[in-house]
Amino acid sequence: TNTEMKSGSLKLANNTSKTMEGSSHYSHADESTNESTYAHFAIAMKETKAIKSVRLVSIFFLFCVIPIAIGVYLYTANAEDEEFENQYFEFANKVLESIGATLENSFGALDNLATSVVAAAHAANQTFPNIRVANFGIHAAKTLSLSRAKIIVMCPVVKGGQFEAWHNWTLQEGRTWVDETVNVQKTDPNYFGPIVEEYLTRDEIHTRNGATEAIGVHLPSWQAYPIVPTWPPYNYDYITGLTYTTAHTEMLEKGSIVITTPYLNPDPNDEAAMENAISTAGWLYERLHPDEEPLEPASDLYFPIFDDLNTFETDTSKTSPVATFGVTFYWRDMIRDILPESAKGILVVVDCPCSASFTYRLDGSETTLMGRGDLHESKYNDMELTSVITQLDSFRIRQTSYSGPGLDDETCPIAFRIYPSQATEDQYMTNNSLIYSGFTVLICLTAALLFVIYDRYQERRQKVFMESAEKNDAVVSALFPAAIREKLYANQQTQREMEKKGGGMRALDGNNAPIAELYTDTTVMFADIAGFTAWASAREASDVFTLLESIYFEFDLLAKKYRVFKVETVGDSYVAVCGLPEPRKDHAVVMAQFSAECRDKLVGLTKELAKSLGPGTESIKMRFGLNSGPTTAGVLRGERSRFQLFGDTTNTASRMESTSFPDCIQASQKTADLLVEAGKSSWITKRNDLVAAKGKGSMVTYWIQLGEKKSSTSKPDSARLSTTCGVPESKLEHLIDFNTEILEHLLQDLMLHNSPNQERSGPFSPKVIRREDSREEMKGYSFDNTTPRDDIVEVIPIPKMDPSQKPKKQKTSVGNSLDEKVKNQLHDFVTQVAHYHSNDNPFHNFDHATHVAMSVRKLLARILKPLHQRDSNEVKKGSRSVTSKAAKFDKILRSTYVLTSDPLIQFAVYFSALIHDAKHPGVSNGTLSNENHEMAIRFNHKSSAEQNSVVVVWDLFLSDKYDDLRGAMFGSNVERLRRFRQIVVNSVLATDIFDRELRDVRERRWTKAFPDDDVSALSLSSFEMDSMEGDLRATIVIEYIIQASDVVHTMQHWTVYQRWNKRLFCEMMSAYKAGRTDKDPSEGWYGGELWFFDNYIIPLAKKLKECGVFGVSCDEVLDYAQDNRMEWEQKGKMIVAEWRKELQGKEEGASWTADTCEESLSSSSNRSN
């Protein structure tokens, strides 16, 4: 390890040296890194020499141990391999022996039954074929039990001249034996099929195609067990009716037992073969135990019956069979219950030259069909044990007493091949060889143990030291220049020495001079994000840090590129300096280039971040301020020491930033003079007006413009520096892409939630609910015969979570993505919804819908977890203990936290936020009713705008072109569609806050779900809670989330509130100017806002806080609402007067659109600034 460290350190040092030689410049960070590398390398070399001798001794012992360990390992492994082979062959021989024994037992049982049948016929003076054996079912049931067969059928040989007599016989005796057999089945515990007592018979020999001709030889089915007479129970001709085998013909010609080739073993890729196998297995299904699989390999066995009981003659030239037993059995029954439970993974391949082979696996007494074909592993070929079915007696230990007909060895002889599997080998190939070897190594290494311990201790000590030194050096390098670091290290050393002597150092001590220095030629830059507080008020904390970290990371890279020293970041402010600690004459030029590239980098970065952080992000700009001059820099020692700048140069740079405009770089006279001296006069343009800087008076300043065409006119003094500070872009396409991306993520979660156990390696492939497939069912979910208001429910059924477990996070692999059809349809749907929002409405437009949807997403993310689903750190964090006070709301949280774990609810609420203002008419519901508008008439003058939004978007959603989108959302589960529709109806209608009837209903439900008296009265003794009570709380939380989001601008930063308040004012004034309302809204706007805050906004914010569902995050909402109310009370009258003045300045008849209102708002904001 130390040798490798030495080699690696030398390589690193050489590479560093080469880098320094081949580069014309490098930063102080590079220099300090090289110095640290050499210091660490020297320490590592010293430690290496100290333990070199100890390591040599350890290596000698290791070389002795290795051969011994290898020998022990090989011996143990060979013993295990030998045990594996011996045990396998023992099991394989037992399998073949048991198959042979089972067949011979079957033959013996059938021979005894044949003897009983012939004897009974003789005793009753009956001659073949016209015989009927009394109690045949009882004898046959016992035979089946011994032979492991499923069905036994006796088929007499009927020749052409015997047809008429046979038909008369079956007409006379047929129903007698059938009824007798049905009665036997009633009491047979091994019979699992149905009891059929009413049936039809056919008294002529027949097949599926009808009656057979009275010529040749026939084998009509006669007495059988068991029977299910859902079709004629006898007289089916086995000669002409069974087209899949000729085994019965072989049996008649040879007088021997014949086993048919296995059937019910179709190729799964051959549809015709599969259908034929399923049809063939159908007649077996009713005779099997419910747990038995009918579609597995089976065969028929034909056993000849001879009429002479006094001879064993089976030569067909001398005597012929007068009947046969047709016996059906499954091959799995031939090989089950053979091996002990310790046997695992023994494979039995049943091979037949006339049909496909198949493979069974034996695990103790369990038998499992692995599939069609020979499925053994090729590495076990040399361990094969095989036997043809006619030679199984060679594996018998005991001689058989069977003396009946022999088994035919010519007609497709079946063979059995036995193999082990990996599971078999794993039973015997254990880790014992490794254990014994390890134990041997342990014994041999006892003498070297002390050396190894010492070596490991030294190595660990060295590693910890190196890691600690590197970490400390990395942290200090990021905070302090190299020269300052050396002074800090020296200061710490002096401090430790003084402490050892019993004293300490103070700032006034001669040995403890401050770490500070004056740098005469520097340029300081301050940069600040304009409107950051307003933007952050509408975002999650994680989004805020994502923005800042992304911006400052890029700035840091540029700082390294230009060798600019980053001093610090404070909130949304970035401070940097050039000219220290390395003096450089071009500090002003470099800082101007650095500032300009930071500004340009910010433009592209915010556009990219807007895709994930939402609209408004792309509009983020920064103000830059530069000033040049002498700067005092140093370290204020103490707790959390850091490098800081002091002096007038720094203060003036801060003033340059605060008086600059967004996306602009403002420089002082000193910086401008330095740029002119450097020949960069084309970079600067004098600002037309003087800047009033705090503590500095009026100042002449300059705009820095790199690479831009210099204007012939002086620059404007407002923020509308569009020619130099960026051009506003259309937002609609961005809003569509942003919402589509969020819905795509929600849809992926929804699809994964719908099929949590389904493995996916490619694009999601949805099932589709199509109108042509379920048109009538889909009609029930349209609004053709009803209105959304009619469908509002008090309680939405919410899926329950298992309270004893934490919810598992859904994980979507990187390779999984939505099907392109679904993505295209989703994007098209969002686009259509966006165009359903009129841009003529300054307030009720798609921009506002997106603002509401973002708030919905934020509030859903802030729903608290119940106590039992938090880990120990979450429970302890910010909490003294899980007290009874904390437990009061636990039941409420258990019923509301499910909202964050059900992707369907999240998708539906976000969907509702996007559509809730679709096709909005730009006036209130009351105005629509006064106008007797067709929208009001259709919806009975109740919630007209909200209901219309639901209907128009829902009709669009149900259109045929979004079949794949709906399929991805709901699969084939129409219940999910119904629940989704219900959430959308309740959510959108909840935004009608002025409907008295709906408001009263919500108040009653709130009181019921969140009582004011004592929440602890709710039962906490069990995690089981009343379903209706929990669903009620969840329903209310859904509605209050979208209600709060609809007016969330009133609970955000003052700038955000003013922006949307102005837009609503513009929209109401446009309606007034168009003659749609009688009263001038501006006359009561000031007082109306105060009333709205006091009677709706602040009470709503308090409810969100008091319900306890959102935790302390609702403090922010309530604080903003109260602050905005207070500021409106102070400034509202002046603001409304200014708005009215702007309105009077517009042309008569002109309307306020979203664009003109936004332009006016920007103008008024700039005047305020």
Side-chain angles (χ1 to χ4, degrees):
T1 301
N2 284 325
T3 302
E4 293 172 358
M5 181 180 294
K6 174 182 177 182
S7 175
S9 300
L10 286 172
K11 290 179 181 178
L12 177 59
N14 292 333
N15 291 338
T16 305
S17 176
K18 291 178 182 178
T19 301
M20 292 170 62
E21 293 172 0
S23 177
S24 60
H25 67 275
Y26 56 95
S27 69
H28 69 272
D30 298 326
E31 181 182 359
S32 62
T33 300
N34 297 331
E35 294 172 355
S36 299
T37 301
Y38 283 118
H40 298 157
F41 169 67
I43 296 173
M45 289 294 296
K46 182 179 179 180
E47 291 293 326
T48 301
K49 292 179 180 179
I51 61 173
K52 184 176 180 180
S53 58
V54 177
R55 193 167 289 235
L56 289 175
V57 175
S58 302
I59 291 175
F60 172 77
F61 278 101
L62 286 175
F63 275 116
C64 295
V65 168
I66 291 174
I68 299 175
I70 293 175
V72 173
Y73 175 83
L74 292 176
Y75 175 81
T76 309
N78 289 335
E80 290 180 344
D81 188 61
E82 183 177 351
E83 182 184 4
F84 157 61
E85 291 185 4
N86 292 339
Q87 192 64 63
Y88 155 69
F89 282 110
E90 180 181 341
F91 289 150
N93 278 279
K94 187 170 185 177
V95 169
L96 294 177
E97 176 189 347
S98 297
I99 294 174
T102 300
L103 287 173
E104 289 183 1
N105 288 340
S106 301
F107 297 162
L110 290 171
D111 190 44
N112 291 336
L113 181 61
T115 302
S116 300
V117 168
V118 173
H122 290 176
N125 293 323
Q126 297 175 351
T127 58
F128 286 92
N130 300 336
I131 69 166
R132 179 181 68 80
V133 180
N135 298 320
F136 179 82
I138 296 176
H139 299 295
K142 295 179 180 179
T143 301
L144 289 179
S145 177
L146 293 173
S147 63
R148 295 189 178 183
K150 299 301 179 185
I151 303 171
I152 183 168
V153 182
M154 183 175 67
C155 303
V157 177
V158 179
K159 300 179 180 179
Q162 299 172 323
F163 262 46
E164 183 176 354
W166 173 254
H167 291 166
N168 292 333
W169 175 255
T170 58
L171 179 64
Q172 172 186 341
E173 299 292 338
R175 286 186 174 273
T176 302
W177 77 260
V178 172
D179 293 340
E180 182 183 86
T181 302
V182 169
N183 289 331
V184 171
Q185 290 175 173
K186 291 180 180 178
T187 59
D188 185 356
N190 296 320
Y191 175 70
F192 304 102
I195 302 296
V196 180
E197 299 184 302
E198 296 183 5
Y199 51 89
L200 297 176
T201 62
R202 292 188 66 173
D203 297 310
E204 73 277 2
I205 301 175
H206 62 276
T207 64
R208 294 181 179 179
N209 299 322
T212 58
E213 298 183 7
I215 56 175
V217 177
H218 299 272
L219 285 175
S221 61
W222 183 228
Q223 289 185 273
Y225 190 87
I227 60 170
V228 183
T230 53
W231 55 84
Y234 51 84
N235 268 339
Y236 188 85
D237 188 9
Y238 273 45
I239 293 288
T240 59
L242 299 182
T243 58
Y244 61 85
T245 180
T246 58
H248 37 65
T249 304
E250 298 288 335
M251 180 274 301
L252 291 177
E253 292 177 355
K254 299 180 180 180
S256 58
I257 302 171
V258 180
I259 297 178
T260 67
T261 59
Y263 56 95
L264 300 184
N265 184 31
D267 184 352
N269 298 319
D270 188 340
E271 294 184 3
M274 286 294 296
E275 292 179 359
N276 182 60
I278 292 173
S279 174
T280 303
W283 71 279
L284 282 168
Y285 179 75
E286 294 176 332
R287 294 166 170 81
L288 300 180
H289 189 278
D291 295 336
E292 292 185 288
E293 171 59 47
L295 196 61
E296 283 193 22
S299 289
D300 294 334
L301 181 153
Y302 291 96
F303 188 94
I305 302 175
F306 297 93
D307 193 27
D308 189 358
L309 294 177
N310 297 319
T311 181
F312 295 106
E313 182 64 64
T314 58
D315 186 353
T316 54
S317 62
K318 300 179 181 179
T319 179
S320 300
V322 294
T324 182
F325 287 132
V327 179
T328 300
F329 66 92
Y330 282 99
W331 284 102
R332 63 177 177 237
D333 295 324
M334 291 291 122
I335 56 177
R336 63 176 170 86
D337 299 331
I338 294 176
L339 299 178
E341 294 300 324
S342 60
K344 303 293 181 184
I346 302 297
L347 303 186
V348 180
V349 179
V350 182
D351 201 359
C352 179
C354 303
S355 65
S357 59
F358 52 91
T359 305
Y360 273 96
R361 170 172 168 155
L362 305 186
D363 292 291
S365 60
E366 295 184 7
T367 304
T368 306
L369 177 65
M370 294 183 65
R372 178 186 174 96
D374 184 348
L375 303 180
H376 84 280
E377 299 173 65
S378 59
K379 66 178 181 178
Y380 298 114
N381 285 347
D382 58 343
M383 300 183 70
E384 174 188 292
L385 188 64
T386 184
S387 174
V388 180
I389 194 171
T390 55
Q391 298 176 358
L392 288 173
D393 56 347
S394 63
F395 293 90
R396 298 292 304 278
I397 299 176
R398 298 181 299 275
Q399 295 298 320
T400 177
S401 60
Y402 172 69
S403 59
L407 178 63
D408 178 51
D409 59 357
E410 296 179 358
T411 305
C412 293
I414 296 172
F416 301 93
R417 288 184 281 117
I418 316 299
Y419 301 94
S421 67
Q422 187 64 50
T424 314
E425 185 176 357
D426 289 343
Q427 284 186 283
Y428 303 96
M429 307 305 289
T430 66
N431 293 326
N432 288 342
S433 57
L434 295 176
I435 295 174
Y436 296 153
S437 300
F439 186 69
T440 303
V441 170
L442 184 62
I443 295 176
C444 295
L445 289 179
T446 302
L449 183 59
L450 294 177
F451 299 107
V452 173
I453 293 175
Y454 176 76
D455 178 59
R456 295 298 298 169
Y457 170 76
Q458 289 294 335
E459 182 179 345
R460 181 180 178 186
R461 179 174 174 269
Q462 180 178 343
K463 182 178 179 181
V464 170
F465 169 78
M466 294 292 291
E467 289 179 351
S468 177
E470 289 173 359
K471 288 179 181 178
N472 292 337
D473 191 68
V475 173
V476 176
S477 296
L479 297 176
F480 306 102
I484 300 298
R485 284 204 311 275
E486 296 305 320
K487 291 182 179 180
L488 277 176
Y489 291 149
N491 182 265
Q492 289 179 349
Q493 180 65 27
T494 304
Q495 178 74 21
R496 284 194 293 268
E497 292 176 357
M498 295 294 292
E499 290 176 353
K500 289 180 180 179
K501 295 178 180 179
M505 291 197 308
R506 298 184 180 181
L508 297 178
D509 294 339
N511 295 327
N512 191 25
I515 303 175
E517 190 171 345
L518 176 64
Y519 297 87
T520 56
D521 298 309
T522 65
T523 298
V524 179
M525 183 202 78
F526 275 74
D528 186 78
I529 301 176
F532 173 77
T533 307
W535 179 90
S537 69
R539 301 304 194 282
E540 278 289 309
S542 59
D543 294 339
V544 174
F545 272 76
T546 297
L547 175 76
L548 294 177
E549 287 180 348
S550 301
I551 294 175
Y552 294 154
F553 175 77
E554 296 295 336
F555 285 12
D556 290 345
L557 294 180
L558 293 176
K560 289 182 179 180
K561 172 184 175 181
Y562 286 100
R563 294 167 56 200
V564 169
F565 184 75
K566 171 190 174 182
V567 180
E568 63 180 345
T569 57
V570 181
D572 58 324
S573 297
Y574 189 93
V575 184
V577 62
C578 187
L580 69 83
E582 300 175 34
R584 54 190 303 176
K585 295 181 179 180
D586 60 347
H587 55 88
V589 175
V590 170
M591 187 58 82
Q593 293 173 323
F594 172 68
S595 303
E597 190 164 350
C598 285
R599 183 191 64 177
D600 296 340
K601 176 68 70 174
L602 181 67
V603 174
L605 183 61
T606 52
K607 288 181 180 179
E608 183 66 25
L609 288 173
K611 298 177 182 178
S612 58
L613 301 184
T617 306
E618 76 284 357
S619 302
I620 286 178
K621 309 294 181 185
M622 292 191 78
R623 295 186 300 267
F624 294 85
L626 275 62
N627 183 42
S628 302
T631 301
T632 300
V635 178
L636 287 178
R637 291 167 299 186
E639 292 295 328
R640 298 179 179 86
S641 305
R642 59 193 179 97
F643 187 73
Q644 292 180 304
L645 306 180
F646 301 91
D648 184 68
T649 300
T650 304
N651 294 335
T652 303
S654 176
R655 302 293 181 266
M656 291 298 97
E657 176 272 316
S658 62
T659 57
S660 180
F661 290 121
D663 209 24
C664 296
I665 306 171
Q666 183 173 227
S668 67
Q669 182 72 58
K670 291 182 179 180
T671 303
D673 291 342
L674 291 174
L675 292 175
V676 172
E677 290 177 9
K680 306 298 183 182
S681 59
S682 60
W683 289 5
I684 62 174
T685 300
K686 186 177 180 180
R687 181 168 175 170
N688 194 38
D689 56 337
L690 296 177
V691 172
K694 181 180 179 182
K696 306 293 291 185
S698 298
M699 298 181 65
V700 176
T701 61
Y702 296 81
W703 301 117
I704 293 181
Q705 302 162 255
L706 272 67
E708 299 171 4
K709 187 175 180 180
K710 191 171 180 181
S711 176
S712 60
T713 62
S714 61
K715 293 299 167 185
D717 299 327
S718 71
R720 280 186 273 178
L721 285 160
S722 59
T723 59
T724 63
C725 304
V727 180
E729 298 180 354
S730 173
K731 295 174 59 175
L732 185 59
E733 286 301 321
H734 166 67
L735 294 175
I736 292 172
D737 293 340
F738 171 73
N739 286 294
T740 301
E741 183 173 352
I742 290 180
L743 289 173
E744 282 181 5
H745 288 300
L746 293 174
L747 181 55
Q748 281 185 324
D749 292 342
L750 176 59
M751 294 172 65
L752 199 61
H753 184 269
N754 291 344
S755 302
N757 297 322
Q758 183 176 351
E759 294 286 341
R760 295 188 176 97
S761 58
F764 292 132
S765 183
K767 298 180 180 178
V768 182
I769 303 177
R770 298 186 180 274
R771 283 191 170 187
E772 59 266 31
D773 297 334
S774 54
R775 187 173 298 275
E776 294 302 322
E777 189 170 23
M778 292 291 288
K779 284 182 179 179
Y781 293 97
S782 67
F783 291 101
D784 295 339
N785 301 315
T786 184
T787 65
R789 191 180 174 102
D790 297 332
D791 292 344
I792 296 177
V793 297
E794 183 178 85
V795 178
I796 300 174
I798 305 295
K800 300 300 178 292
M801 295 170 53
D802 182 359
S804 63
Q805 299 180 358
K806 296 183 179 180
K808 295 182 179 179
K809 294 182 179 179
Q810 299 289 350
K811 294 184 178 178
T812 303
S813 67
V814 177
N816 288 341
S817 60
L818 293 177
D819 187 90
E820 283 301 318
K821 282 186 178 180
V822 176
K823 293 174 69 173
N824 293 337
Q825 290 182 17
L826 180 60
H827 186 274
D828 181 74
F829 177 77
V830 175
T831 301
Q832 292 295 326
V833 171
H835 288 292
Y836 277 179
H837 292 75
S838 173
N839 196 45
D840 292 336
N841 294 340
F843 185 84
H844 294 96
N845 53 34
F846 195 61
D847 192 6
H848 178 254
T850 303
H851 189 77
V852 174
M854 290 174 60
S855 174
V856 163
R857 192 178 179 205
K858 178 178 179 180
L859 287 175
L860 279 173
R862 291 189 172 186
I863 294 178
L864 294 179
K865 294 181 182 180
L867 295 178
H868 71 279
Q869 287 177 353
R870 306 183 199 179
D871 57 37
S872 57
N873 292 330
E874 289 179 293
V875 173
K876 294 177 182 178
K877 190 185 302 180
S879 162
R880 291 173 300 278
S881 62
V882 184
T883 62
S884 59
K885 181 178 180 181
K888 288 183 178 181
F889 291 105
D890 192 46
K891 186 174 182 181
I892 294 176
L893 297 180
R894 289 201 301 275
S895 59
T896 55
Y897 182 61
V898 70
L899 302 181
T900 65
S901 59
D902 185 356
L904 181 65
I905 296 177
Q906 296 188 57
F907 192 100
V909 180
Y910 194 92
F911 178 96
S912 303
L914 278 188
I915 74 166
H916 80 285
D917 280 339
K919 294 287 186 181
H920 196 283
V923 295
S924 66
N925 290 328
T927 301
L928 293 176
S929 295
N930 293 336
E931 295 176 342
N932 209 26
H933 194 279
E934 61 179 355
M935 191 185 299
I937 296 173
R938 178 181 179 185
F939 298 111
N940 299 322
H941 299 274
K942 293 183 178 182
S943 307
S944 304
E946 291 78 13
Q947 293 197 79
N948 184 65
S949 297
V950 173
V951 171
V952 295
V953 177
W954 192 256
D955 286 344
L956 173 69
F957 181 66
L958 290 187
S959 61
D960 295 339
K961 65 178 181 177
Y962 300 122
D963 281 342
D964 295 292
L965 173 59
R966 292 194 307 276
M969 292 172 62
F970 312 116
S972 57
N973 191 333
V974 183
E975 172 61 24
R976 293 195 191 112
L977 173 64
R978 183 202 63 75
R979 191 159 63 88
F980 178 80
R981 177 181 182 272
Q982 189 63 67
I983 296 172
V984 171
V985 168
N986 270 47
S987 298
V988 176
L989 270 294
T991 62
D992 185 3
I993 60 177
F994 293 108
D995 186 287
R996 185 184 301 274
E997 181 181 344
L998 292 179
R999 187 171 66 248
D1000 291 343
V1001 170
R1002 283 194 292 268
E1003 287 295 331
R1004 288 196 299 270
R1005 285 190 297 168
W1006 175 274
T1007 303
K1008 180 179 178 181
F1010 299 101
D1012 295 331
D1013 48 2
D1014 186 10
V1015 181
S1016 63
L1018 301 172
S1019 174
L1020 291 171
S1021 59
S1022 172
F1023 283 118
E1024 296 297 330
M1025 60 181 165
D1026 182 74
S1027 175
M1028 184 66 70
E1029 185 181 74
D1031 290 351
L1032 176 61
R1033 293 194 194 99
T1035 302
I1036 292 173
V1037 169
I1038 290 174
E1039 293 179 355
Y1040 273 83
I1041 283 176
I1042 198 165
Q1043 275 188 322
S1045 298
D1046 194 29
V1047 293
V1048 73
H1049 61 279
T1050 64
M1051 309 175 195
Q1052 292 174 343
H1053 189 269
W1054 169 258
T1055 305
V1056 179
Y1057 164 58
Q1058 281 299 90
R1059 175 178 177 233
W1060 290 106
N1061 190 24
K1062 174 69 176 294
R1063 285 188 171 199
L1064 183 59
F1065 177 83
C1066 295
E1067 185 170 297
M1068 300 298 288
M1069 289 300 296
S1070 293
Y1072 171 67
K1073 290 178 65 177
R1076 301 191 69 176
T1077 58
D1078 298 330
K1079 187 177 179 180
D1080 183 351
S1082 64
E1083 295 178 356
W1085 198 265
Y1086 170 75
E1089 284 295 290
L1090 292 178
W1091 180 91
F1092 194 51
F1093 271 110
D1094 293 338
N1095 292 277
Y1096 183 71
I1097 299 300
I1098 293 178
L1100 177 60
K1102 288 181 177 179
K1103 282 185 177 180
L1104 294 177
K1105 179 180 180 180
E1106 292 167 358
C1107 72
V1109 172
F1110 303 97
V1112 296
S1113 61
C1114 281
D1115 292 342
E1116 175 190 42
V1117 172
L1118 181 57
D1119 290 344
Y1120 271 126
Q1122 293 173 336
D1123 291 345
N1124 287 337
R1125 196 261 184 219
M1126 184 182 304
E1127 195 158 357
W1128 177 259
E1129 185 176 18
Q1130 296 171 359
K1131 302 178 182 180
K1133 290 182 180 180
M1134 179 184 65
I1135 292 173
V1136 173
E1138 185 177 341
W1139 291 348
R1140 292 185 65 179
K1141 184 178 179 180
E1142 293 173 14
L1143 181 62
Q1144 292 170 0
K1146 291 182 62 67
E1147 297 180 5
E1148 188 66 28
S1151 61
W1152 288 85
T1153 65
D1155 293 335
T1156 57
C1157 185
E1158 190 71 21
E1159 180 183 348
S1160 175
L1161 180 60
S1162 297
S1163 300
S1164 61
S1165 296
N1166 294 333
R1167 286 191 293 273
S1168 299
N1169 291 334

